[in-house]
Structures are given as C-alpha cells and as structure tokens.
C-alpha cells in the first residue's frame, strides 16, 4: 500500500505505511503512550486501535483520561453488562445497548423481568469480566453467516437487527474473549480498560423498537466514569438532585400541584403564585422603557397559523379547538365548524400588532413584549412537573428592526439576558449558535446572511464578557431562522437551556409586514424573537432546584414569619409584622398555641428564609430573635435594626442598583 501522510496535534507531518494500525502508530511515538492508548482519531473519526490508517489526515492518539474516552468506557461497559447477564442467566436474549448521557443501558428479553435486587450479582460478574482483561477483537461477517449464528444461539432480536442493517454496510462483530456482539464500534483495546468506576442504576420496561405492539423488554441502566472520584461526584449530584426535586419541594412549600384532569397544566397555590408574580414583576421592571408590553389573543383561526407556517411545520405540537356545540352536533348546519388553534407561540400575534398602523424607519426598532400564555402538545410520558408542561407563560418579546440595526439589537438583548441571569445567581453561561435545520423555510442566501450576523455577534459577546462560553449546535435552528441558545449551570452543576434569541426573515414576509424606508419605499423588517427565562414555569422549577427551595429573601413568597413563644407576645408580634409590611416585606404571624420548636420546624420545612421569635421579654424590650433558614443560631436585635436589615436584604437586585426600595 502507498504511504499516507499524518498531521499531528503539534502541526508536524510524518509519512507512514497505510497498513499501520493505531496501536503501531502509538508505539512508534512512545511506549508509554502505547500503554495508555485506548483508541485513535483520524480526521475527526474515532477508531479502534487495531484499525489500519488506510488514509492521510489529522491524527490523535486517545488515552483513557481523554474526555473522548468516556463514551468508549460506557460503550464497553454496556457490552460487559450484556455478557454478565448471559453468564448469570443463560437463555436471556440481548438486544441493543447504546451509550446515553452520563451512562449506558442494555435491553434484555427474559421471561422474568430483572429487578434492582439482581444488581449486586450482575455488578460482581461485571467486575470479574473486566478483571479477565480480554481484548476486544473485531470481525466482519457475511450477513447470512451472522443471521445463522444468532439464530442458532436463539438470539431472534439480533437476527432482526442484522436484517435492519442496510445492504452494503459492513456487519461488524466484536469479541471480548468468547462472548461477542453485533456492534458498529469502536471499542477500547480490552475489557480491563473499563476500570471499576461504574454502577447499575435502575430498571425499566421498554418495548422492542419503541413500539407498544412489540414485546416488552427489561432495560437496565448504568453509569460509568473514568475514575471513582468522578463516579462519586455524579452519585452525589444525583442525591442532591433528588433532595432538590421541585415537585417534592412544591408540595412541602405549598406552591403548586398537578392532577389528572389537567395533564401538564399547573394549579398554582397562593405562595407559588406569589413567586410567579415576583418573577413577572422583576422581568417587567427589567423591560423598562425599551419595550412596549402587549397582549395577543389565545385563540385564533387556523388560517392565521397556516399563513405563519405553524399549521404545516408545527402541527403535531398544537392544540386545535372549536365550539363544544360543533363537536357534539357535527351535522348541525347552524353550528360554527371553524377550527381555531390555541396559540403555541406569541410571534404571529405580535406581527399583527406591528402591522396595525403605518410604521416608518424612524419608528424602528419597535420592541413588543408579552408575558403570553401558550399551549403546546407534549406526549404524556414527556411531562415532568414544571419542567415540561402543556401550558406555560413565555417572557416573550419580538423586535422589529432594520438589517443595519440587527447586530446592535442582538448585543443589547445579550446584555439584558446576562444581567438577569446574574441576578438569579447564574454565573456560568454557555451561548450556542443553532444553525439551519434540514426542515426549513427561506433561501440558503437568507440563512447565510442571518448566520453570519449571529456568528459575528457571538465572537464579540464572548470577547466582552468572560462569563460566556460559546459553541455551535449544527442543524438545531428553528424552521424559520438560526438562533442563540443560552444554557445555565445550576448550584449542583446541571445545565439548563433557557433563553433564546432567534433571527427571522420569514414571518414578516409571510404576513406582509412592512415599514416605510428613508426612500419612501416599503421595506420588510427583520424580526428578532427573544425569551430570557423561556418558560416562566420551567425557570421557576430551575430556581427552586438550584436553590433547594431556599430562595433569596427578595424572591421568597413569604419572607418573614413572626412566631410567638407565649400568647403574652401576640400583640407585639402583630405590631412587628405590621412594621415589616410597612417596610415592603411579605410577613406573616404565627400565634398558634404550639411550642416554638414545632413552629420553627414547620416554617423551616416550608423554606421561610427568616423567622423572628418573640416572647414576653422581647415585647418588653422591643427586640426580636432572628433565626435564618438552615442555621440553628439565633441573633437578638432591636426591632428597628431587624426591620432595616431585612428591608435592605429584601430589595430586589435591580432596585438595589438604583437605590430604590419603594418601587418593589
């Protein structure tokens, strides 16, 4: 074979025989590197060490501590899981075992489903297999040969999988000792490289190929990491996440509930609704004079959604409605049979508002904001508390501007977003550009133009704010334009995609929106869609979990509870609460004939940030004992000092920057 030319990470270029394998390449560079190597990358493709080079390109040796090796560790662990199960329970059929976020799973066909009680035995057997340190070896089989081998083994699901592989594709079989599996690869050199930092997590039922008409399989989930410290950190995060689950905290704090008659819609209780309104009040203040707040209808004729493109592009996510009489009397000629849609988005309504009345270039940019309630159909299995609902409120805005104003508007939006996220305690933000999807409207030239503008803005944003990390999500844009996606990292390291900024050259054209330019000709505006929180419901869920329910004082629905030790202090407690309320604090009194420790425990469970304890002595002296949530200590102070300190702390950060409490 002719030699191939390899470019190394340091820029050096060397020639090798095309038949050289990845393992031989690593050996030629360094014996220690060869010992550490688990795979290699050629022109961005991860390969087995046993694969020959065969072509020129950019090459890297991947060692086990490389982040790219993590997927291999998990992939190999899935194979070992399957082998362990078949060793322990012969006759069990294996189906598929992919890598997923933070781990892997494998689906098994067995008469008796597996349970978590089986995990200790499986994990023990997995450790035995890993200790054998058998090499992963690859063979390419003929299709009919593979089907015969799997059929003879009683692996009917594997036969189906072989049939599903397109003609012309290599049919790869990976061995680890005597056990083998159908697999695309790649794998590490041997089972020993998996290590011991893995754990089986849970079982679930899963239909073969996701089809409810097919047999039910047992899915075993596992997690695997490069070392024990990473595994321990992940398990700790899961433990923390369980403690912070907003659904549990929502019950304990009496914030909201869900019920069967309204799947995916929130029943807000008084305290939860107060928190919701706190968020809207804050966001409304942040809009300031830059935005005009509007409100568009909930229900609009489907013809409008046909014009916007949603009826064709987004129909599976929309709710359609008509009069109840029309449903129950479909043959009544007098019934209104028109079909309406519950709005899934605010943007078409805002275009109608923009179109109402003649606009000049001097009027632009026009920024329309709405806290708009929208409805989107989600499969019932996808619903998850406040995080995934069917009805939610968007802190939505649409900016109508000229092309010359576009970049400046995007940067202005970014400044506002970053300020809001900082106020809520999010200091690490990833901004990714989502580019054109396969299913889209508009010309390639239009997309090129929009993406170029966003790319320039992204570079500038990262340069001017060191909190911003950037990335590209290829093909993840909306059907009408590219967008920025803002991802926040919470207190326990989880990432949440929240804000978006989307460029849209399409919707104004569809609706015939225009302004009069300086040349007195009609011009089409550029439309920017932006949401900061995204869904207010989901953002609240994120805040509850990130803060473990212990909301900052300025945002808590009940900020202070004044609790009495004895009834002798009831009148004083009422006067304390009145002072707090006069200072702008959300305060309540607890005058119940209960022991003070009981009251403190109850209000702590409800995550009240501050409890002021008053007894006869405090009433006589004009003092209070302050207890902070999460602390056993209490601080005695004068009522005047307590009110002043709490009023200052409860000032929202945006008002604190202005030195203004009264506006809260």
């Amino acid at each position: 074979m002719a030699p191939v030319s390899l470019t190394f990470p340091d820029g050096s270029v060397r020639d090798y025989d095309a038949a050289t394998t990845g393992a031989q390449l690593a050996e030629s560079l360094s014996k220690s590197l060869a010992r550490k190597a688990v795979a290699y990358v050629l022109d961005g493709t991860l390969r087995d060490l046993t694969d020959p080079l065969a072509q020129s390109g950019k090459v890297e040796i991947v060692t086990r501590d490389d982040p790219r090796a993590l997927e291999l560790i998990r992939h190999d662990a899935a194979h070992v899981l399957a082998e362990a199960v078949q060793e322990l329970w012969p006759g069990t059929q294996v189906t598929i075992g992919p890598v997923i976020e933070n781990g892997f799973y494998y689906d098994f066909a067995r008469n008796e489903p597996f349970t978590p009680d089986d995990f200790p035995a499986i994990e023990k057997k997995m450790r035995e297999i890993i200790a054998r340190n058998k090499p992963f070896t690859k063979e390419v089989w003929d299709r009919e040969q593979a089907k015969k081998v799997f059929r003879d083994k009683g692996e009917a699901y594997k036969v189906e999988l072989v049939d599903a592989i397109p003609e012309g594709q290599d049919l790869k079989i990976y061995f680890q000792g005597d056990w083998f599996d159908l697999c695309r690869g790649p794998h590490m050199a041997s089972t020993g490289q998996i290590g011991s930092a893995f754990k089986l997590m849970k079982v679930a039922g899963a239909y073969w190929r996701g089809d409810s008409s097919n047999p039910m399989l047992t899915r075993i989930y596992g997690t695997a990491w490069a070392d024990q410290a990473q595994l321990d950190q992940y398990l700790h995060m899961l433990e923390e996440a369980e403690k912070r689950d907003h659904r549990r905290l929502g019950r304990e704090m009496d914030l909201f509930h869900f019920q069967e008659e309204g799947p995916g819609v929130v029943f807000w209780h008084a305290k939860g609704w107060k928190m919701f309104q706190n968020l809207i009040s804050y966001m409304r203040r942040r809009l300031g004079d830059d935005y005009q707040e509007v409100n568009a209808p909930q229900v609009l004729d489907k013809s409008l959604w046909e014009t916007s493109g949603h009826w064709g592009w987004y129909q599976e996510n929309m709710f359609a409605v008509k009069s109840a009489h029309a449903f129950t009397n479909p043959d009544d000629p007098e019934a209104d049979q028109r079909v309406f849609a519950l709005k899934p988005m605010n943007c078409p309504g805002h275009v109608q508002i923009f179109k109402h009345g003649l606009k000049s270039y001097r009027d632009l940019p026009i920024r329309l904001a709405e806290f708009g309630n929208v409805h989107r159909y989600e499969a019932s299995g996808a619903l998850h508390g406040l995080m995934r609902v069917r009805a939610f409120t968007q802190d939505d805005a649409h900016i109508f501007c000229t092309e010359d104003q576009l970049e400046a508007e995007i940067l202005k939006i970014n400044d506002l977003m970053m300020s809001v996220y900082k106020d809520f305690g999010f200091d690490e933000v990833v901004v990714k550009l989502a580019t054109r999807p396969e299913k889209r409207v508009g010309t390639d030239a239009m997309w090129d133009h929009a993406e170029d503008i966003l790319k320039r803005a992204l570079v500038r944003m990262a340069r001017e704010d060191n909190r911003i990390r950037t990335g590209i999500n290829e093909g993840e844009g909306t059907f009408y334009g590219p967008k920025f996606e803002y991802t926040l990292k919470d207190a326990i390291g989880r990432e949440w995609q929240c804000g978006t900024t989307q460029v849209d050259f399409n919707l104004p054209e569809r609706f015939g929106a225009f302004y009069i330019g300086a040349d007195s000709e009609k011009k089409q505006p550029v439309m920017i869609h932006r949401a900061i929180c995204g869904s207010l419901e989901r953002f609240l869920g994120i805040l509850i979990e990130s803060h473990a329910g212990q909301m900052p004082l300025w945002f808590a629905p009940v900020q202070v509870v004044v609790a009495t030790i004895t009834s002798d202090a009831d009148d004083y407690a009422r006067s304390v609460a009145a002072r707090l309320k006069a200072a702008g604090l959300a305060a309540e009194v607890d005058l119940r004939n209960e022991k003070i420790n009981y009251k403190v425990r109850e209000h702590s469970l409800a995550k009240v940030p501050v409890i002021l304890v008053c007894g006869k002595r405090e009433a006589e002296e004009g003092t209070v004992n302050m207890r902070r949530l999460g602390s056993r200590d209490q601080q005695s102070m004068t009522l005047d000092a307590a009110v002043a300190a709490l009023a200052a702390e409860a000032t929202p950060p945006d008002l604190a920057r202005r030195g203004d409490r009264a506006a809260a």
Side-chain angles (χ1 to χ4, degrees):
M1 295 178 75
V4 296
S5 181
L6 300 182
T7 304
F8 291 88
D10 64 0
S12 62
V13 180
R14 294 166 64 179
D15 290 341
Y16 285 83
D17 190 296
T20 304
T21 66
Q24 290 167 336
L25 173 65
E27 183 79 24
S28 75
L29 297 170
S30 158
K31 290 190 183 302
S32 64
L33 181 62
R35 286 194 297 273
K36 295 177 183 176
V38 296
Y40 76 104
V41 174
L42 187 61
D43 278 350
T45 301
L46 199 62
R47 292 178 162 200
D48 295 315
L49 285 173
T50 54
D51 285 346
L53 296 168
Q55 66 181 65
S56 301
K58 293 181 179 178
V59 72
E60 286 183 83
I61 304 298
V62 177
T63 60
R64 197 177 176 280
D65 55 2
D66 188 302
R68 291 169 292 187
L70 197 53
E71 185 171 338
L72 295 173
I73 292 170
R74 291 165 177 167
H75 188 180
D76 293 3
H79 278 235
V80 168
L81 165 62
E83 181 181 0
V85 165
Q86 289 197 316
E87 275 196 30
L88 292 167
W89 293 278
T92 302
Q93 291 190 65
V94 295
T95 61
I96 58 169
V99 174
I100 57 174
E101 187 179 10
N102 298 319
F104 59 91
Y105 70 76
Y106 219 111
D107 289 347
F108 300 96
R110 182 173 175 242
N111 290 334
E112 185 181 346
F114 293 103
T115 73
D117 293 340
D118 299 315
F119 288 178
I122 299 172
E123 287 181 350
K124 183 180 178 184
K125 182 59 68 175
M126 288 176 70
R127 296 186 194 284
E128 287 178 19
I129 295 167
I130 290 168
R132 294 170 197 165
N133 198 26
K134 296 291 185 181
F136 285 101
T137 56
K138 177 173 62 182
E139 296 181 5
V140 179
W141 284 8
D142 171 81
R143 186 176 296 267
E144 293 306 315
Q145 173 198 1
K147 287 167 68 173
K148 183 178 185 306
V149 170
F150 285 122
R151 197 178 292 114
D152 292 346
K153 284 183 68 181
E155 297 275 9
Y157 293 96
K158 289 293 181 186
V159 175
E160 275 197 52
L161 289 173
V162 172
D163 281 332
I165 296 173
E167 293 286 345
Q169 277 193 20
D170 285 344
L171 209 151
K172 299 176 194 174
I173 304 293
Y174 279 84
F175 284 80
Q176 52 204 58
D178 295 329
W179 192 87
F180 58 88
D181 199 4
L182 174 71
C183 183
R184 287 193 298 266
H187 285 272
M188 295 187 291
S190 66
T191 59
Q193 291 178 325
I194 296 169
S196 59
F198 67 88
K199 183 176 175 63
L200 301 183
M201 302 300 292
K202 62 179 182 179
V203 295
Y207 292 110
W208 171 235
R209 296 195 162 174
D211 187 338
S212 59
S213 62
N214 287 336
M216 176 71 78
L217 309 173
T218 300
R219 178 171 295 176
I220 297 179
Y221 288 93
T223 187
W225 298 84
D227 56 46
Q228 190 63 38
Q230 290 180 17
L231 174 61
D232 290 344
Q233 184 181 5
Y234 176 67
L235 295 176
H236 176 70
M237 187 272 289
L238 289 183
E239 188 181 327
E240 278 295 310
E242 190 175 347
K243 290 180 195 171
R244 295 163 179 260
D245 190 315
H246 73 281
R247 295 165 299 178
R248 180 175 65 81
L249 290 169
R251 288 192 299 273
E252 293 176 358
M253 296 170 69
D254 191 24
L255 302 179
F256 58 84
H257 81 272
F258 295 87
Q259 60 189 62
E260 289 183 7
E261 292 85 351
V265 294
V266 189
F267 289 79
W268 287 106
H269 300 189
K271 291 177 183 176
W273 191 240
K274 172 67 173 172
M275 198 181 293
F276 190 94
Q277 292 303 317
N278 284 348
L279 181 56
I280 286 183
S281 296
Y282 167 84
M283 291 304 304
R284 187 168 277 138
R285 291 195 305 270
R286 297 308 313 271
L287 298 180
D289 296 329
D290 286 336
Y291 290 82
Q292 304 171 43
E293 188 177 337
V294 298
N295 190 264
Q298 289 279 323
V299 180
L300 292 163
D301 191 286
K302 81 176 174 80
S303 61
L304 181 136
W305 302 103
E306 288 171 335
T307 302
S308 72
H310 288 87
W311 197 257
W313 296 96
Y314 202 71
Q315 191 179 106
E316 67 273 14
N317 300 108
M318 294 176 67
F319 287 97
V321 297
K322 56 182 176 179
S323 77
H325 181 74
F327 273 116
T328 55
N329 298 272
D331 300 323
D332 185 350
E334 300 299 317
D336 185 353
Q337 297 293 342
R338 284 185 303 167
V339 176
F340 298 83
L342 293 177
K343 67 173 178 181
M345 298 178 185
N346 297 305
C347 30
H350 289 189
V351 178
Q352 309 313 305
I353 295 171
F354 174 85
K355 286 176 62 182
H356 198 79
L358 197 61
K359 304 294 189 299
S360 160
Y361 70 95
R362 295 186 183 90
D363 300 319
L364 303 185
I366 291 174
R367 308 181 186 99
L368 303 180
E370 181 176 0
F371 299 99
N373 193 239
V374 299
H375 292 78
R376 297 180 187 176
Y377 177 77
E378 298 277 1
S380 56
L383 300 176
H384 181 76
L386 298 177
M387 304 304 196
R388 201 72 176 264
V389 290
R390 288 177 174 172
F392 57 96
T393 308
Q394 288 186 306
D395 63 324
D396 213 2
H398 296 91
I399 294 94
F400 299 87
C401 63
T402 68
E403 286 196 31
D404 291 342
Q405 295 168 332
L406 181 55
E407 188 171 348
E409 285 300 306
I410 288 169
L411 294 170
K412 184 180 178 70
I413 291 167
N414 177 72
D415 289 343
L416 176 58
M417 283 190 173
M418 294 301 293
S419 174
V420 169
Y421 297 149
K422 184 175 178 60
D423 281 351
F424 284 102
F426 298 108
D427 291 320
E428 291 188 55
V429 182
V430 178
V431 185
K432 292 185 178 180
L433 170 59
T435 59
R436 69 195 75 186
E438 287 186 19
K439 200 176 161 183
R440 62 181 184 269
V441 297
T443 64
D444 284 345
M446 183 189 297
W447 279 88
D448 289 342
H449 183 53
E451 287 175 358
D452 285 346
I453 291 171
L454 288 183
K455 284 174 182 174
R456 282 202 311 271
L458 192 62
V459 170
R460 183 169 170 182
M461 286 153 48
R463 186 174 66 242
E464 294 178 357
D465 192 333
N466 58 16
R467 294 176 298 158
I468 293 178
R469 291 184 292 119
T470 63
I472 305 289
N473 280 342
E474 295 287 355
E476 295 295 318
T478 55
F479 69 88
Y480 53 76
K483 62 179 178 177
F484 284 153
E485 296 177 334
Y486 287 74
T487 299
L488 314 180
K489 185 176 282 189
D490 72 8
I492 57 173
R494 297 173 300 178
E495 294 185 339
W496 303 94
Q497 199 268 300
C498 288
T500 56
T501 301
Q502 307 174 22
V503 178
D504 187 353
F505 294 98
N506 170 65
L507 209 58
E509 181 182 18
R510 283 177 170 263
F511 282 111
F514 67 90
Y515 66 93
I516 304 300
D519 58 359
S520 299
E521 296 293 323
K522 290 182 179 180
K523 308 282 186 184
Q524 183 184 303
V526 180
M527 186 175 178
I528 306 171
H529 307 242
R530 79 103 185 96
I532 300 174
C533 300
S535 155
L536 297 188
E537 287 79 0
R538 183 171 175 269
F539 193 70
L540 277 173
I542 294 167
L543 288 177
I544 291 167
E545 295 202 358
S546 187
H547 291 281
Q550 300 185 28
M551 312 308 289
L553 189 65
W554 72 270
F555 195 69
V558 178
Q559 296 170 316
V560 187
V561 168
V562 184
T564 53
I565 301 172
T566 171
S567 60
D568 292 344
D570 285 0
D571 289 342
Y572 179 63
R574 292 188 187 97
S575 70
V576 171
R579 283 281 306 277
L580 293 166
K581 290 176 182 177
L585 289 145
E588 295 180 355
V589 292
D590 187 347
L591 308 179
R592 293 174 299 166
N593 186 25
E594 300 283 355
K595 292 186 181 299
I596 189 62
N597 287 342
Y598 174 85
K599 293 180 182 180
V600 169
R601 276 196 308 272
E602 193 172 74
H603 296 304
S604 297
L605 186 65
K607 308 298 182 186
V608 176
V610 177
I611 302 171
L612 298 183
V613 178
C614 303
K616 185 178 180 181
R617 180 178 173 182
E618 284 75 23
E620 291 170 351
E621 296 177 352
T623 60
V624 291
N625 284 310
M626 185 183 296
R627 289 176 178 250
R628 296 277 187 170
L629 181 61
S631 173
R632 294 189 175 185
D633 298 329
Q634 61 181 26
Q635 181 184 6
S636 178
M637 56 201 317
T638 66
L639 176 57
D640 288 345
V643 171
L646 292 172
E649 186 181 339
T651 303
D654 60 304
L655 296 180
R657 287 192 291 272
R658 288 166 34 188
D660 183 2
R661 169 70 194 169

